[in-house]
Amino acid sequence: MPRSDWQEVTVTSNGQRIHLRVSGDSGPLVLLCHGFPESSYAWHHQLDALGAAGYRAVAMDMPGYGRSAKLQQPSDYRITELVAYCVGVVEALGESTAVIVGHDFGAPVAWASAWTRPDVFRAVVGMSVPFGARGLAALPGDPFGDVRPTLTHRELAGPGLTFYQDYFADRSGKAEKEIEQDLRTFITSGFYGLSADSPLPPELNGVDLTSLPPEHVIGFVRAAMCVPDGEGFAVNLQSPETLPGWLDHETLDIFIAELEFGGMRSPLAWYTNADLNWEVLAQYQGQPLTVPAMFIGGDRDVATIWSQEARLRAAEYIPDLRGSVIIPNCGHWIQQEHPETVNQELLTFLKGL
C-alpha cells in the first residue's frame, strides 16, 4: 500500500535524474536497488521496517525505470555507469558511505558497487543472484565470468533456444513488442509464474532445487528461462486465476502504471551490455570483495537455483561473507513473498556491522 509518510525525492546523480522513495530522516544509509521489471516500490515492506528501526532507507528508481531518467544509448546502462549512479545518490543525500542491497538485476549492481567502490559501500546484501564477479549473473558452469557471457548464454541454452537475457537484449525489438502489446498480462504472469505460488512440474515436487546435479540445473534453466525459436518469453509463464496472497491489486497496479508511463525499452536495454560489462570489469577480476556481505535466496527462485555453484564457492571471492540464507517456499520476488523474513535477516545483518 502507498505510504504517506515516505518522502518522494528526486536528485541528480551521475548527471541524470534519479527518483527515490525515502523512509527515515536520519541514521545509517541503506540504499535499495530493484531489478527487472519493477521500481523502488518493490521495497515497500523494507522501507517501512528499516525506517522504523532507525535507518535511513532509500529505494532508487534505477536508471531507465519509474520516474528516473531514461538514457539514450543502451551502453549508458553498463555496470560501471550503474555503480556511478549509486555512488552519486549517496553523495546527493549528503552521505559518504552506505550499505547497499540489491535484488534480481539490482543484486549484480549492489555486488559490483561494493566490489569496485568499497570506499563508499561499507557492506552489501545480494538477493536472488549471488556474487558473480565480472560475469554478474553467476551462471552455471561459469559462475565468476571467466568466459565471455554471450558464449556462456549460447552454451547454456543449446540448439533451438535463446537464453532469456539474449532475447531481452535483441535490439530488433522482439521482446519489447511482446511485452508492450499486453503489458498487464505479461507483468501479472511474470510475478505469478516466477513465484513459489506457481505449481512445479510433478517430477520436481519434493526435490531440493537448490542442490540439483549440474546437468539437471542446465535442464531446469532451459525449461524455465530459455525462449524456443519463434516463440516469446511468455511461453514460460503462467497466468493466475487469482493473485497470490503476497501481491495485492494495488501493488500490481503501481508497477504496471510505472512501466506503462516509462515503457520497456530502457529496462530491456540493461540486458544488451553482458559482454561490455564483462570487459569493463576485467580489471577487477581476481580481486576479493572485501566488505561484509550477505546473500538471501529462495528455494523456488530460478536465479538462486541456477547460481548454486557461485553460492557454494562464494568464499573464493568474499572473505567476510556473514550469511547465505535460503528461504523455504520462496520464489523470485523474495522481499515481497517473504517480507518479514527478509526484514529480520536485513536487520540482523545491519546490527552486526
Side-chain angles (χ1 to χ4, degrees):
M1 305 291 285
R3 304 289 177 170
S4 60
D5 54 345
W6 293 345
Q7 292 180 312
E8 301 272 344
V9 178
T10 300
V11 300
T12 299
S13 171
N14 199 27
Q16 298 289 347
R17 181 186 74 255
I18 300 294
H19 174 254
L20 311 171
R21 288 180 165 105
V22 181
S23 177
D25 297 325
S26 60
L29 178 61
V30 181
L31 189 63
L32 305 166
C33 304
H34 69 82
F36 180 91
E38 300 180 279
S39 74
S40 58
Y41 195 73
W43 300 102
H44 58 283
H45 297 294
Q46 288 67 47
L47 284 169
D48 289 338
L50 294 174
Y55 295 92
R56 190 182 185 193
V58 176
M60 298 172 60
D61 279 347
M62 302 302 285
Y65 286 89
R67 289 161 57 187
S68 289
K70 312 300 183 287
L71 311 177
Q72 294 301 309
Q73 299 299 323
S75 61
D76 291 337
Y77 296 101
R78 63 191 181 276
I79 191 67
T80 44
E81 289 299 291
L82 298 174
V83 169
Y85 284 108
C86 294
V87 172
V89 167
V90 174
E91 294 173 347
L93 294 172
E95 302 286 351
S96 58
T97 63
V99 176
I100 190 166
V101 181
H103 168 256
D104 184 79
F105 211 141
V109 174
W111 291 120
S113 296
W115 189 31
T116 64
R117 293 300 306 271
D119 56 317
V120 176
F121 299 104
R122 62 188 182 93
V124 58
V125 180
M127 297 171 54
S128 180
V129 183
F131 180 70
R134 70 189 289 206
L136 297 183
L139 293 173
D142 187 31
F144 300 120
D146 294 318
V147 178
R148 184 174 290 273
T150 51
L151 298 179
T152 301
H153 295 174
R154 285 198 288 272
E155 183 174 350
L156 179 60
L161 295 171
T162 299
F163 188 50
Y164 82 100
Q165 293 187 9
D166 291 341
Y167 177 73
F168 286 173
D170 186 339
R171 301 317 290 169
S172 69
K174 289 188 294 185
E176 182 182 2
K177 181 179 180 180
E178 177 194 2
I179 298 170
E180 290 277 11
Q181 67 184 359
D182 191 349
L183 183 64
R184 176 169 290 274
T185 295
F186 186 92
I187 298 303
T188 304
S189 299
F191 276 121
Y192 173 72
L194 295 178
S195 76
D197 289 83
S198 62
L200 285 169
E203 65 271 16
L204 294 180
N205 285 326
V207 175
D208 181 0
L209 299 178
T210 62
S211 59
L212 291 174
E215 65 274 15
H216 291 180
V217 172
I218 300 297
F220 182 86
V221 172
R222 287 176 177 172
M225 299 301 289
C226 290
V227 180
D229 290 349
E231 299 281 357
F233 185 74
V235 72
N236 297 316
L237 301 176
Q238 306 170 56
S239 295
E241 293 183 7
T242 58
L243 292 181
W246 57 270
L247 180 63
D248 60 68
H249 285 281
E250 188 169 5
T251 296
L252 181 63
D253 287 346
I254 289 171
F255 286 128
I256 291 171
E258 289 177 329
L259 289 168
E260 285 176 340
F261 182 79
M264 293 303 303
R265 183 163 301 177
S266 289
L268 290 168
W270 282 47
Y271 291 92
T272 66
N273 294 303
D275 285 348
L276 179 57
N277 292 338
W278 185 78
E279 292 165 4
V280 299
L281 289 175
Q283 61 182 306
Y284 300 99
Q285 190 75 342
Q287 296 183 20
L289 189 156
T290 56
V291 303
M294 182 181 187
F295 172 70
I296 303 174
D299 68 345
R300 288 278 310 276
D301 180 359
V302 64
T304 302
I305 294 165
W306 85 44
S307 61
Q308 63 178 2
E309 185 179 359
R311 176 168 48 86
L312 295 173
R313 293 175 54 188
E316 296 177 21
Y317 264 97
I318 308 175
D320 195 3
L321 183 64
R322 301 191 179 184
S324 184
V325 177
I326 305 298
I327 302 175
N329 193 34
C330 181
H332 183 63
W333 316 103
I334 297 170
Q335 71 271 42
Q336 297 176 74
E337 291 185 55
H338 288 271
E340 293 183 0
T341 302
V342 169
N343 293 346
Q344 180 181 1
E345 295 292 348
L346 287 178
L347 289 170
T348 299
F349 175 77
L350 291 168
K351 291 174 182 176
L353 297 175

